[in-house]
Structures are given as C-alpha cells and as structure tokens.
Amino acid sequence: MIVNILYFASLREQLGTANEQFNTDAATVGELLDQLCARGPRWQQALCDNSHLQMAVDQTVAHRDTPLRDGAEVAFFPPVTGG
Amino acid sequence: MSDWVRVQTEDFDLSTEVARLRAGRADIGAVVTFVGTVRDINQGDTVATLELEHYPGMTEKALNEIRDEAHRRWHLENSLIIHRVGPLQPQDQIVLVATASRHRQDAFEAAQFIMDYLKTRAPFWKKEQTPDGHRWVDARDSDRAAAERWAE
C-alpha cells in the first residue's frame, strides 16, 4: 500500500524532504518508522533516536501502535511551539 | 474551517474582531481577549524575524477541537481563535484568543485553557533569526505543565 508522509519544521530540514509517497507493508506507524530508519544514520537519528518525536495519522495525533491504511496521511514533527 | 477559527498571514485588528464576536449578542456580559506578540529577545538573544510554520489542515482541525472543548467545559456564548503564520517581526501580533460569556469567570478561564492547549497541541513551529543564524524554538516544560493543569 502507499502512504503519504509529511515532515515538518526541524525534521523537514534535517531530512531534506517535506513529503514523500512511500510503498510499505507496515501495519502500524511504529513499523513504518522502523522501515524509514533503516535508510541510514540520518533517518535513524531524526526519527528513531528522537524521544521528542510527534506523529499524526490523517491529521489526528498518533502513536507507534496507531494502525495504517492505504492512502493514509502520516506526519512526523517536533514538539509544537505556537502561540 | 469554522468562521471562528482562522489561520492567516495577514494581521488582525482587535477592536474589529471583538465587535464581530459580540455583534447582536445582548446576552454577552464578559469578553476576555489574549493577544500574543513577538518579543525582540528570546533566551538572551536578539530576534530579528520569526517564521511561523504550520501543518495546513491539521492546524485548523486541532484549533476547532480546542475551541469545541472550551465550549464543552465552560458556559461560553462565543469564542474566536486567530493565529498568524509566515514571517513576523518583533512587536507583531501572532495570536488572538477571545472568549465571550454571560459572566466573567467562564470567559477568563476558557481563554487561558484555549491558549494553554493551543501552545501544546496545535501544530505550529517557530523559527527565529538571531545574529547567530536560524534556530527552531524549543518546546518549554512550563507550557506542558500549564496545559496539564486542565486535565480532567
């Protein structure tokens, strides 16, 4: 299945990408993260070694065990700092 | 997007927004407004510009959820949230929260609640330009603590 992944703020800059279509068999956000982090140290550091990582699925706050569906919009971002 | 939640690059006028919030509503006896503005000093460094990034779609959804939650918890007649995005300068207005109720306590508490939740739940990120270059603003523990006090 295909998921659409978005990266925001410092994560977008660290990874050098704002969004991508990703072909995956991951059942959860956690499994998707493991696949992304396997790409190399930059990904591992930005996503998997990052205890402050926030995530959303279809624009709702999510966690590693949140299930994925075909066509899901998955977003990764740092803690928010608006206001 | 609801008419009472706006994410925009342009500035806002407090008087105009309060007038719109109260228009035709004689049942309103209290209006509380909070305006957040850009400081020229943050963590000891001069800030030349501030860039506000957000997650279009999720931002509006999160702000509407926060507003709905405030209306569930307090007796509000109306409320308004405006948040600006894009490049901002020191002294610029960033955010407006306005709450209207029959009596003041609901409006006071709801305005604080909305700001505390906005700061920890709405997907905005601030990037500062200082003499040493760009830096992303870190989330503050004090903001997390402020939001946690509203836990039910």
Side-chain angles (χ1 to χ4, degrees):
Chain A
M1 66 179 186
I2 303 273
V3 293
N4 187 29
I5 310 178
L6 309 176
Y7 306 96
F8 288 98
S10 52
L11 275 187
R12 174 175 47 75
E13 290 187 347
Q14 259 177 287
L15 296 170
T17 181
N19 62 78
E20 62 175 316
Q21 303 268 317
F22 190 72
N23 201 336
T24 181
D25 57 0
T28 63
V29 179
E31 289 179 27
L32 174 66
L33 273 170
D34 291 341
Q35 292 174 359
L36 293 170
C37 291
R39 285 170 163 176
R42 192 159 50 97
W43 293 82
Q44 175 72 31
Q45 194 187 354
L47 298 175
C48 292
D49 298 342
N50 176 358
S51 61
H52 298 299
L53 182 72
Q54 312 285 304
M55 51 203 90
V57 173
D58 294 327
Q59 304 187 353
T60 298
V61 170
H63 306 280
R64 283 189 66 97
D65 56 0
T66 302
L68 293 179
R69 60 170 182 86
D70 187 30
E73 178 176 296
V74 184
F76 297 110
F77 46 86
V80 303
T81 55
Chain B
M1 198 191 302
S2 117
D3 219 23
W4 303 107
V5 166
R6 279 152 47 201
V7 178
Q8 61 188 43
T9 51
E10 57 271 26
D11 199 7
F12 52 82
D13 178 69
L14 181 59
S15 303
T16 306
E17 299 302 339
V18 169
R20 204 170 68 87
L21 187 77
R22 299 176 54 209
R25 297 292 303 270
D27 52 345
I28 291 172
V31 175
V32 168
T33 62
F34 171 85
V35 177
T37 57
V38 182
R39 280 190 308 272
D40 65 351
I41 297 275
N42 193 28
Q43 295 173 333
D45 295 311
T46 308
V47 176
T49 62
L50 188 67
E51 177 86 27
L52 253 299
E53 178 174 334
H54 76 123
Y55 178 175
M58 184 172 173
T59 312
E60 293 81 354
K61 183 168 174 284
L63 293 177
N64 273 298
E65 284 168 2
I66 293 167
R67 182 174 180 271
D68 290 347
E69 181 66 15
H71 281 253
R72 191 182 67 75
R73 293 195 192 197
W74 286 277
H75 193 110
L76 296 178
E77 301 305 326
N78 204 355
S79 66
L80 167 69
I81 305 173
I82 300 176
H83 203 299
R84 294 179 68 193
V85 293
L88 297 171
Q89 316 293 323
Q91 299 184 48
D92 280 353
Q93 304 187 111
I94 307 176
V95 60
L96 167 65
V97 168
T99 51
S101 57
R102 294 182 180 205
H103 304 287
R104 70 183 181 282
Q105 192 174 351
D106 288 285
F108 270 129
E109 290 183 7
Q112 260 193 317
F113 167 85
I114 290 172
M115 270 313 299
D116 287 344
Y117 265 40
L118 183 156
K119 287 197 81 96
T120 51
R121 297 188 178 203
F124 293 100
W125 301 274
K126 287 184 182 133
K127 188 186 192 182
E128 296 172 337
Q129 172 75 53
T130 72
D132 298 329
H134 285 297
R135 70 177 181 202
W136 290 95
V137 173
D138 281 330
R140 291 169 190 262
D141 288 338
S142 57
D143 287 334
R144 275 192 287 272
E148 277 165 16
R149 74 192 151 127
W150 300 106
E152 281 185 318

